[in-house]
Amino acid sequence: MAPPPSMPLSNGSSQRLEFALTDVWFVKGGVRTDDTSEGNRDSHVSLYRPTGPIIVGISLGFTLSLLSVTWVDESCDSDWMGAADEMLIGQPGSSKGARKPSSISSGTTDNGNLEEDFEPRIVPYNQPAREGPPKKVFRAKYASTELGIRERLFVSVYTSKTTMNTLAVAINRTLNHHLDGRLIFFTGTRNRKLPNGMFVVTHGDERPVPNMFQSIRYLLEHHIADYNWFYFVQDDTYTQPERLKTLVSHLSMDLQLYMGQPGEFIGGETQGRYCHSGPGFLLSRALLLKLQPFLEQCRTDIVSIRPDEWLGRCIIDYARMSCVEEYEDLNYNYFTMENNMDLSRMENDGFQNALTVHPVASAELMYRLHKHFTELELQKTYEEIEKLQSEIKNVSELAVDGNKSALWPIGITPPFEPKNRFEVLRWDYFNEDNLFSCVDGAPKCQLNGVDRDDVIDVIRVAVEELNKKYNPFVQLSAPRLVNGYRRLDHTRGMEYTLDLQFQATTESGHQKSIARRVHLVRPLSQVEIIPMPYVTEATRVHVLLPLTSYDSHAALRFLDHCSSNLFETGENAVLNFLFIYEPTEAQKVSTNDIFAEVKAKITSVEHTYPSVKVSWISIKTESPGILRILDIVSRKHPVETLFLLVTADTVLNSEFLNRCRMNAISGWQAFFPIHFQEFDPSVAYPEQVPPATPDLVREVGHFDRYTFEEACFYNSDYMSSRTRMSGDLQENEELLESLDLYDMFVQYSGLHVFRAVEPALRQVYRNRTCDPRLSEDVFHRCLQSNLESQGSRSQLAMLIFEQEPGNST
């Protein structure tokens, strides 16, 4: 239908807009009935002519639909049951009549009478009876367990009594920490002492075939549900761990595969080939599950003296699988080792690409092989890094900013961007001899130890890279560090900026002194999870509190804190007071005990909490060194006792006690926390009432790194450290007074001495009295701690400003 001439459309209108305007015109045209001119009649006829068939079709449809419906004239009379209703309702099973509108269908009973009106019936819900208590729904601890996700690789190593402490230990050190799965050693001989860090399963039968049978059964009973691939190898075989993981990662988890070095059976009576146990072989989980029902029959039916042949016959007979060396372009590469082979001259591709090397005669050769193949993998990794860096450079040239968009170094995390001035990273200045940013706050200190080794290594790398860049035109030598800057960026690593002076020698022999500035980055390596011994938060903590005459009043406050934080909550801790008397004070104990008030408070606490027993020991000594005191306490407790050494100002709580239990590990680690020391309230809160529990902010206090008085350690570790110290103690008897507990653990324990800030450990301010009888270092640290605990620099500066005459606030 075209638009009328009276309402023309522009050529630029869209199709949707055209339809909208046409509809408006059609409505208006329908109400225009006053125009009777001949021209108008012709226009109306031409308008309605296309709609005629539509109107006829609609009328015909209504007529046919009305004819198909049976019309019934219902009367409002009470006698409404007539033929019409009988037609409406219809007989059961008949198709005559239509359903009565707006009603529930009703029918007739068997005797012809109508049913009663429909009445809804409420069916009550009765809970089914339960047999026994309800079953608890089990949910897996890990999502991988619930989803059925298994680990990739399990390694089984067969060893013997004679090689367990040599070759087996070498395999454990070269293979175990490289694997993501599990490594277990199987043997048939029971040893009284097993090597540390090795999981050994002993079957009690030295015969090779029963040992293999028991090992397969052990895997099916304990580990078949957790791993997809099982690798079997002897302890005289070196395995390259990275290549083994690469091979397994390309194999499907549901694959049935028996892979290794194929070998022919002796006699040729068995069809197929088995895998030699020397170079090792792989078995899939699906194949082991298929073999599981027939394993007992294999033990009784198959007779063999070689375990690899026995297992191969079992797999061929009952699983119909033969050993293969290659599967879908994946090769099981192995190399047979010969006597007196020089590894540095081995250019054979079979050796360079070997997954396993067999046989290995000694543990020393095992370590040499591991070093050789590790260097190959490292060189391969460096080549891949260089290739990726060149690709990134080529791609970055196509960016909008060109090479400026590529970060330096390529592939390393971009530098940290501070959001405010407090987050700006500090650059430390150094030269070849001195460091101008010292730990103790001194402006200058000598560059030695690991810091000096670090600077020497950085200069060496810089010279190598520059010679690699300018070779063969210029040779740089005799480097001298003019200026050095370094900073630790926690997002990427240690950054260095070096100004180096070189002696440059050209190809023609001319020499000249030149200076170059270089930038280097020592990136953070991959974070490695160090295996730690198991610890638990249920360990009882023995709290040791040494007290002198200066601390008697603070001990009363310490008991109040312990009553509210430990005794009321039922914490698994035992409180031990160590009363230290000088000789003159010890003589007056019966008449004037300096700790009488503290002992009375202990009695009151024990009366208030009947289940609590606070023990105390009186010690008479002229030199209150902590090592002499701990020697007395250590002999009175078992070796497995966990000690927590505290001071009278320490505020204990459950959070810190759990941290003490988790960070102090017997035979492994001692914990020396850095507590939060509150400032002097008169300085931190001038003309204000200090809060009962102040926040952990810099205006309230600081972490006191000069104190080493709190410590968590085991009695066995202390006793072993004192035993190592006895040799030096015979030459210098003053060690017990000059060393504190921290220095003793660092020098003589051999443990990890863990030193870290502890927000849950706090001390209220108290002007402590430093004992001049202690060593010079301990006495100096005590004085420094008291000075820094007065207040922050800004607070102390404000006090000085207010006290100067002429200043007003």
Side-chain angles (χ1 to χ4, degrees):
M1 179 175 60
S6 58
M7 298 186 65
L9 292 175
S10 62
N11 295 330
S13 300
S14 63
Q15 187 177 8
R16 182 168 181 170
L17 185 59
E18 290 178 2
F19 279 116
L21 290 176
T22 303
D23 291 343
V24 172
W25 176 84
F26 186 79
V27 173
K28 288 184 178 181
V31 297
R32 294 179 61 184
T33 57
D34 53 345
D35 193 353
T36 57
S37 63
E38 184 177 355
N40 290 336
R41 284 196 301 270
D42 294 339
S43 63
H44 287 176
V45 171
S46 63
L47 175 65
Y48 293 124
R49 182 176 299 163
T51 61
I54 299 176
I55 297 174
V56 174
I58 294 174
S59 302
L60 183 60
F62 270 98
T63 304
L64 293 177
S65 62
L66 291 176
L67 292 176
S68 63
V69 178
T70 303
W71 292 91
V72 179
D73 184 15
E74 286 192 31
S75 62
C76 297
D77 194 320
S78 59
D79 188 14
W80 50 277
M81 288 300 300
D85 282 308
E86 190 173 345
M87 184 183 298
L88 252 174
I89 299 173
Q91 296 298 327
S94 67
S95 59
K96 294 188 299 180
R99 171 169 280 235
K100 199 172 183 180
S102 302
S103 65
I104 300 175
S105 62
S106 58
T108 57
T109 58
D110 295 339
N111 54 8
N113 297 327
L114 289 172
E115 294 180 348
E116 299 293 336
D117 293 341
F118 176 78
E119 294 183 0
R121 182 168 61 91
I122 299 175
V123 180
Y125 171 73
N126 296 325
Q127 189 174 5
R130 295 180 177 177
E131 298 181 359
K135 295 182 179 179
K136 185 177 180 180
V137 179
F138 172 77
R139 290 300 300 272
K141 185 176 181 180
Y142 302 102
S144 59
T145 305
E146 190 164 334
L147 297 176
I149 301 175
R150 294 181 291 270
E151 296 290 339
R152 177 68 65 174
L153 182 63
F154 184 95
V155 178
S156 304
V157 181
Y158 293 93
T159 184
S160 62
K161 182 179 181 180
T162 58
T163 59
M164 180 174 294
N165 293 314
T166 55
L167 291 175
V169 172
I171 281 189
N172 185 61
R173 292 179 177 177
T174 59
L175 187 61
N176 192 10
H177 65 283
H178 292 281
L179 297 175
D180 300 329
R182 186 77 178 273
L183 175 63
I184 287 185
F185 293 85
F186 292 100
T187 182
T189 308
R190 300 185 182 275
N191 289 356
R192 294 183 179 180
K193 186 177 181 180
L194 299 175
N196 295 327
M198 293 173 54
F199 190 86
V200 182
V201 177
T202 305
H203 300 310
D205 195 339
E206 298 182 2
R207 294 176 298 173
V209 173
N211 191 13
M212 174 68 75
F213 167 77
Q214 295 291 343
S215 301
I216 297 294
R217 190 171 68 174
Y218 178 86
L219 297 179
L220 290 171
E221 292 177 354
H222 297 88
H223 301 286
I224 194 64
D226 302 326
Y227 296 90
N228 289 323
W229 290 93
F230 295 85
Y231 176 63
F232 299 84
V233 68
Q234 297 178 179
D235 60 357
D236 61 344
T237 302
Y238 171 75
T239 303
Q240 216 292 328
E242 298 300 330
R243 296 176 184 178
L244 177 62
K245 291 191 295 183
T246 303
L247 174 63
V248 174
S249 64
H250 288 81
L251 296 173
S252 175
M253 63 181 69
D254 296 328
L255 186 66
Q256 294 186 14
L257 186 63
Y258 180 32
M259 194 174 191
Q261 179 188 3
E264 299 290 341
F265 288 99
I266 300 176
E269 41 205 50
T270 303
Q271 299 296 328
R273 297 188 296 177
Y274 71 97
C275 288
H276 284 286
S277 60
F281 55 90
L282 274 173
L283 281 179
S284 63
R285 175 179 179 269
L287 184 58
L288 283 177
L289 288 176
K290 188 175 182 180
L291 193 67
Q292 184 175 9
F294 312 102
L295 192 62
E296 193 67 30
Q297 300 180 21
C298 292
R299 187 182 66 166
T300 57
D301 297 345
I302 301 176
V303 179
S304 179
I305 60 174
R306 291 174 53 92
D308 48 5
E309 287 189 5
W310 172 84
L311 181 61
R313 288 183 180 179
C314 182
I315 294 174
I316 292 173
D317 293 344
Y318 296 98
R320 306 302 178 188
M321 295 294 299
S322 181
C323 179
V324 295
E325 185 178 358
E326 184 268 340
Y327 179 80
E328 293 185 354
D329 295 334
L330 296 175
N331 296 309
Y332 190 94
N333 299 320
Y334 53 89
F335 182 79
T336 303
M337 194 77 177
E338 298 179 0
N339 295 331
N340 301 323
M341 293 184 66
D342 189 0
L343 301 182
S344 60
R345 298 182 179 179
M346 290 296 297
E347 301 296 338
N348 185 6
D349 292 339
F351 175 75
Q352 300 295 337
N353 300 324
L355 169 65
T356 63
V357 178
H358 173 81
V360 181
S362 63
E364 180 184 359
L365 182 57
M366 186 82 70
Y367 296 131
R368 290 170 55 198
L369 286 169
H370 184 66
K371 179 183 178 182
H372 175 77
F373 284 102
T374 303
E375 290 176 350
L376 291 179
E377 293 296 324
L378 186 61
Q379 184 62 32
K380 181 180 178 182
T381 303
Y382 286 150
E383 293 174 358
E384 292 178 356
I385 292 175
E386 292 178 358
K387 182 180 178 181
L388 290 175
Q389 288 178 343
S390 62
E391 291 179 358
I392 293 175
K393 289 181 181 179
N394 296 333
V395 173
S396 62
E397 292 180 355
L398 304 177
V400 177
D401 298 335
N403 289 330
K404 295 181 180 180
S405 61
L407 300 174
W408 183 88
I410 296 177
I412 304 297
T413 308
F416 171 74
E417 296 183 0
K419 298 180 180 178
N420 51 57
R421 62 187 181 91
F422 299 106
E423 296 181 355
V424 176
L425 301 179
R426 183 186 66 182
W427 285 91
D428 298 333
Y429 177 73
F430 62 92
N431 54 30
E432 290 183 344
D433 301 321
N434 298 306
L435 180 66
F436 296 89
S437 178
C438 306
V439 177
D440 56 356
K444 178 182 178 180
C445 55
Q446 189 175 4
L447 191 66
N448 51 22
V450 293
D451 290 324
R452 186 173 186 82
D453 296 338
D454 178 62
V455 171
I456 293 174
D457 184 60
V458 170
I459 295 175
R460 179 187 59 81
V461 173
V463 174
E464 291 179 357
E465 293 297 326
L466 288 174
N467 282 325
K468 188 186 300 183
K469 179 179 180 180
Y470 297 122
N471 190 45
F473 306 104
V474 178
Q475 184 69 26
L476 302 178
S477 60
R480 186 177 66 87
L481 178 63
V482 180
N483 299 302
Y485 307 89
R486 68 179 183 181
R487 73 173 182 179
L488 178 62
D489 191 338
H490 58 274
T491 61
R492 52 196 267 133
M494 184 69 78
E495 299 180 0
Y496 302 88
T497 299
L498 305 179
D499 294 331
L500 298 173
Q501 192 80 22
F502 296 99
Q503 189 71 24
T505 305
T506 62
E507 291 181 300
S508 59
H510 296 285
Q511 292 186 351
K512 183 181 178 180
S513 179
I514 62 173
R516 285 291 182 270
R517 166 166 285 193
V518 295
H519 302 276
L520 301 96
V521 174
R522 191 189 297 274
L524 294 173
S525 59
Q526 182 180 3
V527 178
E528 181 180 358
I529 299 177
I530 301 176
M532 300 288 285
Y534 177 76
V535 292
T536 176
E537 295 183 355
T539 306
R540 172 170 292 183
V541 181
H542 290 257
V543 182
L544 304 180
L545 176 60
L547 291 177
T548 60
S549 57
Y550 305 109
D551 304 322
S552 58
H553 294 288
L556 302 176
R557 184 176 56 188
F558 179 82
L559 274 172
D560 292 335
H561 288 304
C562 290
S563 299
S564 58
N565 297 338
L566 304 183
F567 301 151
E568 290 183 0
T569 58
E571 191 66 37
N572 190 14
V574 178
L575 195 56
N576 299 271
F577 280 81
L578 311 177
F579 297 122
I580 303 173
Y581 292 91
E582 295 182 1
T584 56
E585 297 172 346
Q587 295 176 359
K588 304 176 182 179
V589 171
S590 58
T591 58
N592 184 18
D593 190 357
I594 58 175
F595 299 111
E597 190 175 0
V598 180
K599 294 178 181 178
K601 183 74 172 179
I602 292 175
T603 305
S604 175
V605 169
E606 291 179 343
H607 180 73
T608 306
Y609 304 96
S611 60
V612 175
K613 179 64 178 177
V614 180
S615 61
W616 51 273
I617 302 174
S618 298
I619 302 174
K620 174 185 175 182
T621 178
E622 296 181 356
S623 57
I626 190 62
L627 298 183
R628 293 186 182 274
I629 298 171
L630 291 178
D631 286 344
I632 300 174
V633 178
S634 177
R635 291 193 292 265
K636 297 180 179 295
H637 290 81
V639 294
E640 67 273 6
T641 304
L642 174 59
F643 286 140
L644 169 58
L645 184 65
V646 296
T647 65
D649 300 317
T650 305
V651 180
L652 297 178
N653 51 42
S654 299
E655 182 181 355
F656 171 67
L657 289 182
N658 287 334
R659 207 77 56 85
C660 175
R661 296 183 180 104
M662 301 303 291
N663 290 327
I665 306 174
S666 178
W668 189 270
Q669 181 170 281
F671 179 44
F672 284 81
I674 303 176
H675 67 255
F676 184 79
Q677 177 67 57
E678 298 180 6
F679 290 145
D680 187 354
S682 61
V683 178
Y685 307 96
E687 300 179 0
Q688 296 181 9
V689 178
T693 55
D695 296 331
L696 205 69
V697 293
R698 67 177 65 190
E699 291 80 11
V700 173
H702 72 115
F703 287 100
D704 193 355
R705 55 190 176 91
Y706 291 101
T707 59
F708 298 85
E709 297 173 338
E710 291 97 356
C712 297
F713 57 95
Y714 278 86
N715 191 19
S716 57
D717 297 331
Y718 176 80
M719 295 173 66
S720 61
S721 302
R722 287 287 285 110
T723 302
R724 296 189 184 98
M725 184 181 174
S726 59
D728 295 341
L729 192 61
Q730 294 177 358
E731 300 177 359
N732 184 9
E733 297 180 356
E734 297 180 357
L735 278 179
L736 290 178
E737 284 75 22
S738 61
L739 289 181
D740 61 358
L741 185 62
Y742 177 79
D743 295 330
M744 187 205 70
F745 271 110
V746 170
Q747 297 181 21
Y748 298 101
S749 68
L751 305 175
H752 296 274
V753 182
F754 184 37
R755 178 86 166 142
V757 296
E758 181 51 64
L761 184 62
R762 309 180 67 166
Q763 282 195 11
V764 297
Y765 174 78
R766 181 168 68 96
N767 189 12
R768 295 175 298 168
T769 302
C770 299
D771 197 337
R773 295 172 296 178
L774 299 177
S775 65
E776 183 179 355
D777 293 338
V778 177
F779 181 72
H780 174 72
R781 288 202 299 258
C782 179
L783 293 178
Q784 190 70 23
S785 175
N786 283 341
L787 292 176
E788 294 200 0
S789 299
Q790 295 292 328
S792 64
R793 291 185 177 183
S794 59
Q795 294 169 349
L796 295 175
M798 184 59 67
L799 289 178
I800 295 174
F801 178 77
E802 293 175 352
Q803 292 176 2
E804 288 184 356
N807 293 332
S808 60
T809 57

